[in-house]
Amino acid sequence: MAEFAPTADDMLSLVAELQAAGAQAQHQAEQQAARSESQRRTFDCRPSALVMIVGHNGDRLRGMEAATGARIRAVTDKWAPLGATVMVESADPARLDAAEDLVRKSLELAKSPQRIPVARQALGRVIGRNGERIKSVNERSGAKCSVNQEGDPCYVVVESEDP
């Protein structure tokens, strides 16, 4: 059997081929990372706001995932600026946008205070006799509800430390 002795040109050719393959693999990995990043959006929020994303036993989160087709994850994260993170992922930009919209709206609901418009003619039913309904909501929820009766519509202002 003949012995193969590579020449310097063979070695240079092999090194160049390996470098090209490595550069191509690096380029593909960078493109994949860029595609993956463009299909993921994250939101920082307070841990107490996660209830508006997750809901009771995860029902709200599963409903948002079913409605949009996107994957939504909500976690407390001690390294996140506000203490929690919500991540939305999808390969389809339209689904990603729909899920992002639902998450933003849910996190907006977690902000305090909330101003709820109420028509002047319905204000009596909201307040209750001698303010009993508002007092009951305050006691049961721990939130502070107040009524701004100036103008029409009037506003019920709900303030809370915890959504």
Side-chain angles (χ1 to χ4, degrees), residues 3 8 14 25 48 57 63 67 73 76 87 101 112 119-120 129-131 133 138 148 150 162-163:
E3 192 172 303
L14 181 60
S48 61
N57 291 329
R73 295 293 170 256
T76 56
M87 183 174 62
D101 186 48
S112 183
R120 182 168 290 287
R129 187 176 306 227
N130 296 323
R133 181 164 287 143
N138 287 343
N148 180 347
E150 298 172 13
D162 192 6

Side-chain angles (χ1 to χ4, degrees), residues 111-116 137-138 141 143-146 156-160:
K111 291 182 178 176
S112 183
Q114 289 288 316
R115 288 183 47 180
I116 303 165
V137 169
N138 287 343
S141 68
K144 180 182 179 250
C145 298
S146 59
V156 175
V157 179
V158 182
E159 296 180 74
S160 175

Side-chain angles (χ1 to χ4, degrees), residues 65-84:
E65 286 182 330
T68 63
R71 183 175 179 189
I72 302 170
R73 295 293 170 256
V75 296
T76 56
D77 181 0
K78 68 180 182 178
W79 303 110
L82 298 175

Side-chain angles (χ1 to χ4, degrees), residues 30-153:
E30 288 170 358
Q31 283 182 329
Q32 178 64 29
R35 276 195 305 272
S36 173
E37 189 61 37
S38 68
Q39 297 170 3
R40 176 183 305 139
R41 301 200 182 126
T42 58
F43 306 87
D44 291 323
C45 63
R46 296 183 333 263
S48 61
L50 290 181
V51 71
M52 299 306 287
I53 301 295
V54 177
H56 182 70
N57 291 329
D59 290 342
R60 186 168 173 82
L61 187 135
R62 284 191 298 276
M64 288 192 299
E65 286 182 330
T68 63
R71 183 175 179 189
I72 302 170
R73 295 293 170 256
V75 296
T76 56
D77 181 0
K78 68 180 182 178
W79 303 110
L82 298 175
T85 300
V86 178
M87 183 174 62
V88 179
E89 293 179 301
S90 178
D92 181 359
R95 291 177 184 220
L96 185 67
D97 290 342
E100 177 186 10
D101 186 48
L102 285 178
V103 168
R104 284 189 190 281
K105 286 178 180 176
S106 296
L107 291 175
E108 186 65 32
L109 287 174
K111 291 182 178 176
S112 183
Q114 289 288 316
R115 288 183 47 180
I116 303 165
V118 178
R120 182 168 290 287
Q121 64 266 24
L123 196 56
R125 287 183 295 196
V126 172
I127 295 172
R129 187 176 306 227
N130 296 323
E132 291 301 318
R133 181 164 287 143
I134 290 285
K135 290 175 191 173
S136 174
V137 169
N138 287 343
E139 290 170 6
R140 288 183 294 139
S141 68
K144 180 182 179 250
C145 298
S146 59
V147 179
N148 180 347
Q149 297 184 37
E150 298 172 13
D152 193 7

